[in-house]
Amino acid sequence: DVKVTQSSRYLVKRTGEKVFLECVQDMDHENMFWYRQDPGLGLRLIYFSYDVKMKEKGDIPEGYSVSREKKERFSLILESASTNQTSMYLCASTRDRGLYEQYFGPGTRLTVT
Amino acid sequence: QQQVKQSPQSLIVQKGGISIINCAYENTAFDYFPWYQQFPGKGPALLIAIRPDVSEKKEGRFTISFNKSAKQFSLHIMDSQPGDSATYFCAAETPPGNQFYFGTGTSLTVIP
C-alpha cells in the first residue's frame, strides 16, 4: 500500500519561528510536491521537486523554501513564520512526470500565533 | 488567477439523487483532468480522471463528462450516498508533466 507520511498532524508555532514540515514517501516516486489548502482557495502549489536536490517554484513560493536531500524525503521550511501562513499543508508525490496519480499525505494543520 | 474554476462551492443532495460539480479552464495545453475526493482529516485521493481525447469516462457511479470545445468538464455522481459526503476537487495538468492546478473545491453533503 502506497504511503505518504507527514511528520505532524497539528503544529502551533509563534510568529518569527523557523518551521520545518517533513514529508516521506515509500513508493520510490520521482516527484514530490507541497501544497497549502485554504477554504475557498483550494490547493495551491508552493514548491515541487522532480529529483533529488532539484526544486521548482510553484504558484505561491514566497515565504517558503524546500529541501530534498534524499529521494523519499521532501521538507518545507518557513524561514520566519507569519500569521498568514496559518493553513493546512499537504505533501504529495507522483511516480514520474506525465499523467500519473498524485498520492497525498494526511496534511499538517499549522497555526502561527 | 484561478486556472481552473469550480462550482458550486457547496452542494446538498438527497440520498439517491445525482450530484453534479462543474469545472472550467482556459489553458488549452492542459492534457489531463483528474477529480480528487477528500474526507475530513485525510488528504485528497484520486477518484477518476480523463484525457481530452475522450468525451466521457465512467467508473461505477462516477462519471466525468468532458467538453473540449467549451473547455468544461464535470463530475456526475449517480445514486448519491451519504458516504459520498466529502470535498471534491477538479484539477488539470500541464505538459511536459506533472504541474497540477486545482479548483477551489466543492463540499458535498448527501442527506439520508
Side-chain angles (χ1 to χ4, degrees):
Chain A
D1 196 17
V2 298
K3 206 160 187 180
V4 178
T5 57
Q6 296 184 229
S7 51
S8 305
R9 294 301 303 272
Y10 300 94
L11 210 51
V12 180
K13 296 292 182 181
R14 293 192 181 276
T15 301
E17 279 193 84
K18 190 168 187 176
V19 181
F20 293 88
L21 303 182
E22 304 285 339
C23 175
V24 178
Q25 49 93 5
D26 65 358
M27 299 164 282
D28 199 36
H29 281 180
E30 298 292 326
N31 307 327
M32 297 187 75
F33 306 80
W34 275 107
Y35 294 91
R36 65 177 281 177
Q37 181 178 4
D38 300 288
L41 297 178
L43 278 68
R44 292 180 293 165
L45 182 63
I46 304 171
Y47 268 97
F48 57 106
S49 169
Y50 288 143
D51 200 352
V52 176
K53 297 197 185 290
M54 287 185 61
K55 60 184 179 183
E56 299 279 348
K57 291 181 179 179
D59 297 321
I60 53 165
E62 297 78 19
Y64 304 94
S65 62
V66 291
S67 172
R68 194 169 180 199
E69 296 295 320
K70 293 185 178 181
K71 188 176 185 179
E72 68 271 17
R73 188 179 298 269
F74 193 35
S75 302
L76 180 69
I77 303 155
L78 287 67
E79 295 289 342
S80 177
S82 64
T83 55
N84 63 12
Q85 293 179 309
T86 291
S87 186
M88 171 68 81
Y89 289 89
L90 290 163
C91 175
S93 71
T94 59
R95 192 173 85 195
D96 203 344
R97 296 196 194 199
L99 310 180
Y100 293 111
E101 174 181 355
Q102 289 205 330
Y103 291 88
F104 283 87
T108 296
R109 176 146 323 263
L110 172 67
T111 302
V112 182
T113 62
Chain B
Q1 182 184 356
Q2 196 71 31
Q3 296 262 3
V4 179
K5 296 182 180 178
Q6 183 172 348
S7 63
Q9 187 172 351
S10 63
L11 184 60
I12 300 174
V13 173
Q14 293 278 357
K15 178 183 175 181
I18 302 173
S19 303
I20 302 173
I21 304 170
N22 301 299
C23 285
Y25 64 96
E26 287 297 324
N27 187 349
T28 56
F30 288 145
D31 64 354
Y32 181 61
F33 300 88
W35 284 88
Y36 283 80
Q37 180 188 53
Q38 184 181 30
F39 293 105
K42 304 285 187 181
L46 180 67
L47 182 64
I48 187 172
I50 198 168
R51 294 194 62 176
D53 54 350
V54 176
S55 62
E56 184 175 283
K57 184 173 181 181
K58 185 175 181 179
E59 290 184 2
R61 297 184 293 108
F62 300 91
T63 300
I64 300 178
S65 297
F66 188 84
N67 186 330
K68 190 173 182 178
S69 60
K71 292 184 283 188
Q72 295 175 347
F73 59 109
S74 59
L75 176 70
H76 296 238
I77 305 174
M78 311 301 287
D79 187 27
S80 298
Q81 299 296 312
D84 297 330
S85 297
T87 299
Y88 293 81
F89 293 96
C90 60
E93 183 195 17
T94 57
N98 247 208
Q99 183 159 356
F100 285 83
Y101 295 90
F102 284 83
T104 50
T106 296
S107 176
L108 171 66
T109 302
V110 181
I111 301 171

